[in-house]
Amino acid sequence: MLLIPCPWCGPRDEAEFHYGGQAHVAYPEDPAALSDEEWARYLFFRDNPKGLFAERWSHTAGCRRWFNAVRDTATNEIHAVYRVGEPRPVIA
């Protein structure tokens, strides 16, 4: 079982959350100006590292707020959680 620490509610079971993909992906300034290839790259291409990765999560069965988490994809350990709009924490 993975315990995910919600910044507002504290640690909760992973079943209460919804994964939202990679964090810090900026929406295109003018999506209508993008080619089909550029739009597809925005929609479908994401980093897939082994190690630390910043992700978006929603506490769907709790406060229903979105937040970011830095998770190690190799061990599933969550190293930090932070609110949307806050900078990604530096992790040694």
Side-chain angles (χ1 to χ4, degrees):
M1 171 176 73
L2 180 63
L3 283 179
I4 299 175
C6 174
W8 292 274
C9 304
R12 300 290 191 268
D13 183 79
E14 66 182 300
E16 294 188 16
F17 296 88
H18 177 81
Y19 179 74
Q22 183 176 347
H24 309 290
V25 176
Y27 190 78
E29 287 186 31
D30 186 7
L34 298 179
S35 68
D36 288 345
E37 182 178 336
E38 291 168 327
W39 185 245
R41 183 165 293 284
Y42 165 73
L43 289 177
F44 302 114
F45 284 67
R46 295 291 181 259
D47 295 338
N48 188 22
K50 180 178 181 181
L52 296 180
F53 188 54
E55 305 169 324
R56 295 172 32 111
W57 288 87
S58 173
H59 192 181
T60 52
C63 63
R64 303 187 58 82
R65 293 181 180 177
W66 285 92
F67 63 94
N68 296 325
V70 177
R71 182 177 63 90
D72 188 319
T73 59
T75 64
N76 255 356
E77 180 182 354
I78 295 178
H79 291 267
V81 293
Y82 53 105
R83 298 174 181 191
V84 172
E86 293 179 348
R88 178 180 170 167
V90 177
I91 299 170

